C-alpha cells in the first residue's frame, strides 16, 4: 500500500503524526520522498515545509500517518513554530548526515529541545544517519551513532536516501510502532484511572445512602 497525498483540511485525523527534524542539507526531504515514492530527487528548496499523508502496513495493521518534513534550523527565529511542531507530533525522526559533524551534534540539541517541550511525557524518537553512500566523506562512525542513540534512548538506523536500501522504511515504521505502543499504554492507563474514579464515586454514593 503506497498511497500518499499532501495533507488537506478536514481530512481524517491520522493514527500517527511524525515530524522529520535535522540540520539543513542532511537529506530530510530526500528521505521522505524516497519513502513515499521510492524515487530519489536531487534538488529541494530547504526553506519549504511539506506535510504528507500516507498509509502503510505495520505488523499487518493498516496505519495512516502524516509526515511533516520541516524546514530551517531549530534554533533560528522560528522557535515558536518549532514548539508548535513538537506539540503536534507523536514521533520524531532525527536525521543527521554521516558526512557532517555539526548535524550529528545537533541531534543531541534537538532531543533536549523535544524533552523540554514534551515534558512530562516521554519523547518517542528514532535517529537516522543518512548519506551512507558517501563512504569516502564519512566522518561519523557507526559506533558514535549507536552511542549517541543509547545516551538519548532512541532507536538507531543508518541508510541512504540515494540508494533507497530499505532502511528508511524500517526506521519510519519502527517509529510508528513505538508511537502506537505508547498510545496503547496511555489509553490503558486512562481507562484504569477512569474506572477507579467511577468506583470511588459509586462507593461514596453508597456510603451516603447507607449513612442517611
Amino acid at each position: 500500500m503506497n498511497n500518499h497525498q499532501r495533507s488537506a483540511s478536514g481530512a481524517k485525523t491520522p493514527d500517527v503524526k511524525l515530524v522529520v527534524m535535522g540540520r539543513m542539507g542532511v537529506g530530510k526531504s530526500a528521505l521522505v520522498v524516497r519513502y513515499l515514492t521510492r524515487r530519489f530527487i536531487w534538488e529541494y528548496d530547504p526553506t519549504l515545509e511539506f506535510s504528507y499523508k500516507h498509509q502503510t502496513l505495520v505488523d499487518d495493521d493498516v496505519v495512516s500517518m502524516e509526515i511533516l518534513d520541516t524546514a530551517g534550523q531549530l534554533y533560528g527565529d522560528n522557535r515558536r513554530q518549532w514548539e508548535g511542531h513538537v506539540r503536534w507530533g507523536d514521533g520524531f525522526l532525527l536525521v543527521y548526515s554521516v558526512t557532517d559533524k555539526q548535524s550529528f551534534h545537533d541531534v543531541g540539541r534537538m532531543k533536549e529541545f523535544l524533552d523540554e517541550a514534551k515534558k512530562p511525557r516521554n519523547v518517542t524518537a528514532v535517529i537516522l544517519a543518512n548519506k551512507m553512500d558517501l563512504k569516502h566523506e564519512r566522518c561519523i562512525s557507526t559506533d558514535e551513532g549507536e552511542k549517541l542513540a543509547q545516551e538519548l534512548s532512541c532507536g538507531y538506523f543508518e541508510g541512504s536516501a540515494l540508494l533507497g536500501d530499505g532502511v528508511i522504511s524500517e526506521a519510519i515504521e519502527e517509529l510508528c510502532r513505538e508511537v502506537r505502543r505508547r498510545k496503547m499504554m496511555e489509553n490503558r492507563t486512562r481507562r484504569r484511572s477512569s474506572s477507579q474514579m467511577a468506583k470511588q464515586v459509586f462507593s461514596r454514593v453508597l456510603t451516603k445512602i447507607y449513612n442517611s
Side-chain angles (χ1 to χ4, degrees):
M1 199 171 296
N2 192 32
N3 299 321
H4 70 278
Q5 60 185 48
R6 298 279 177 85
S7 62
S9 60
K12 177 181 177 294
T13 302
D15 300 323
V16 177
K17 294 178 288 188
L18 305 181
V19 181
V20 182
M21 302 172 66
R23 191 175 183 84
M24 282 186 184
V26 297
K28 299 186 297 294
S29 298
L31 287 167
V32 173
V33 170
R34 169 64 83 176
Y35 173 66
L36 296 173
T37 69
R38 307 295 187 262
R39 293 184 295 115
F40 180 79
I41 299 176
W42 287 95
E43 294 185 1
Y44 296 91
D45 185 337
T47 66
L48 297 180
E49 282 185 351
F50 289 108
S51 178
Y52 301 90
K53 289 202 173 174
H54 178 67
Q55 282 191 335
T56 191
L57 285 175
V58 177
D59 299 333
D60 296 325
D61 292 332
V62 177
V63 176
S64 64
M65 67 178 77
E66 186 166 356
I67 303 174
L68 176 61
D69 174 18
T70 61
Q73 297 296 114
L74 178 61
Y75 294 91
D77 297 329
N78 55 351
R79 186 180 178 90
R80 184 173 299 177
Q81 180 181 2
W82 277 103
E83 290 173 345
H85 292 340
V86 172
R87 287 192 294 270
W88 176 85
D90 297 318
F92 301 86
L93 187 68
L94 309 181
V95 182
Y96 72 87
S97 167
V98 296
T99 67
D100 183 349
K101 285 190 176 181
Q102 187 57 56
S103 72
F104 175 74
H105 296 311
D106 281 354
V107 169
R109 299 171 66 196
M110 287 187 289
K111 183 59 163 54
E112 183 180 350
F113 179 84
L114 292 173
D115 288 337
E116 182 63 30
K118 281 289 193 182
K119 192 180 294 182
R121 296 176 63 187
N122 292 327
V123 172
T124 303
V126 162
I127 296 172
L128 177 56
N130 189 32
K131 302 192 180 182
M132 290 293 291
D133 53 287
L134 300 177
K135 295 180 180 180
H136 59 292
E137 297 180 28
R138 183 172 188 172
C139 59
I140 307 296
S141 69
T142 297
D143 287 344
E144 289 175 292
E146 290 178 341
K147 181 181 178 183
L148 177 65
Q150 187 174 19
E151 291 172 352
L152 300 180
S153 300
C154 295
Y156 178 74
F157 295 84
E158 294 182 340
S160 166
L162 176 63
L163 299 178
D165 46 20
V167 176
I168 302 165
S169 296
E170 291 178 24
I172 291 176
E173 287 165 18
E174 177 61 20
L175 186 55
C176 285
R177 193 175 288 113
E178 289 300 316
V179 167
R180 297 177 75 216
R181 185 178 296 128
R182 192 201 70 223
K183 285 187 173 185
M184 287 176 62
M185 292 176 62
E186 290 175 351
N187 288 337
R188 287 172 185 164
T189 301
R190 280 196 293 267
R191 284 197 296 268
R192 282 198 299 267
S193 177
S194 298
S195 177
Q196 289 171 353
M197 289 179 63
K199 288 179 180 177
Q200 291 171 359
V201 170
F202 186 63
S203 178
R204 287 197 294 268
V205 169
L206 288 178
T207 301
K208 287 182 180 180
I209 292 174
Y210 289 140
N211 292 336
S212 61

